[in-house]
């Protein structure tokens, strides 16, 4: 029994010793789907003067829907999106800064800082629902 206690004591003693090894943190790389990558590129290069033209490179369904309840904006389909949403973007000379983009299943979330021509700034979250073909089906700007 004394041998067992000696062995256990030795194991505990050595397992509690401080180590001189340093801990390395490994930063995770984000691998985005082609649709999320297209949205990221659009957000990173966004200019209000040619907003819809740049946006049109992102794959969407024919009847995709966008809702921005805090701004009172809603549109369905490319024609309405260009008229309503990008009309607002041009009117306010909206600037966007992409803070982060996260992809989780069929959802892509963008965290943005937006600024209007009057200097008003807001933190905004945009959530994109993507269908099984990788096309944007719904967008919520919150």
């Amino acid at each position: 029994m004394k041998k067992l206690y000696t062995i256990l004591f030795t194991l505990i003693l050595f397992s509690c010793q401080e180590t001189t090894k340093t801990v390395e943190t490994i930063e995770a790389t984000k691998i985005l789907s082609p649709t999320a990558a297209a949205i990221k590129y659009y957000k990173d290069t966004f200019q209000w003067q040619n907003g819809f033209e740049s946006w049109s490179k992102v794959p969407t369904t024919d009847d995709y829907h966008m809702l921005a309840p805090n701004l009172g904006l809603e549109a369905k389909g490319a024609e309405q999106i260009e008229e309503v949403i990008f009309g607002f973007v041009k009117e306010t000379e909206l600037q966007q800064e992409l803070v982060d983009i996260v992809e989780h299943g069929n959802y892509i979330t963008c965290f943005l800082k937006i600024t209007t021509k009057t200097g008003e700034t807001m933190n905004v979250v945009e959530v994109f629902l993507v269908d099984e073909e990788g096309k944007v089906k719904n967008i919520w700007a919150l």
Side-chain angles (χ1 to χ4, degrees):
M1 188 70 155
K2 281 186 178 183
K3 273 188 171 180
L4 183 61
Y5 284 134
T6 305
I7 293 171
L8 286 174
F9 177 75
T10 306
L11 285 173
I12 292 170
L13 179 65
F14 284 110
S15 67
C16 294
Q17 295 268 339
E18 268 189 55
T19 182
T20 58
K21 294 181 181 178
T22 58
V23 176
E24 285 185 44
T25 56
I26 300 171
E27 191 170 320
T29 57
K30 290 184 182 180
I31 299 174
L32 299 174
S33 69
T35 303
I39 292 170
K40 182 179 184 323
Y41 180 78
Y42 162 73
K43 295 294 184 185
D44 283 340
T45 61
F46 179 81
Q47 294 179 343
W48 64 267
Q49 298 90 333
N50 58 359
F52 185 77
E53 180 183 329
S54 296
W55 167 252
S56 65
K57 293 174 177 63
V58 175
T60 60
T61 61
D62 291 336
D63 63 343
Y64 72 106
H65 178 248
M66 182 170 183
L67 180 63
N70 293 339
L71 300 173
L73 300 175
E74 183 172 10
K76 190 172 189 177
E79 192 175 298
Q80 280 188 10
I81 299 281
E82 181 175 18
E83 182 182 317
V84 175
I85 305 300
F86 286 96
F88 174 81
V89 167
K90 285 183 180 180
E91 180 183 314
T92 60
E93 298 179 11
L94 198 71
Q95 300 294 322
Q96 295 185 29
E97 175 190 342
L98 179 62
V99 177
D100 198 8
I101 185 168
V102 178
E103 188 168 20
H104 183 69
N106 288 5
Y107 293 92
I108 300 165
T109 304
C110 292
F111 300 92
L112 306 166
K113 179 180 176 184
I114 61 172
T115 307
T116 65
K117 66 182 175 185
T118 61
E120 183 181 2
T121 62
M122 293 173 269
N123 292 320
V124 175
V125 175
E126 286 184 347
V127 180
F128 301 81
L129 174 61
V130 179
D131 71 7
E132 58 282 342
E133 294 176 11
K135 295 180 178 181
V136 173
K137 181 178 180 171
N138 287 305
I139 308 165
W140 297 273
L142 310 168

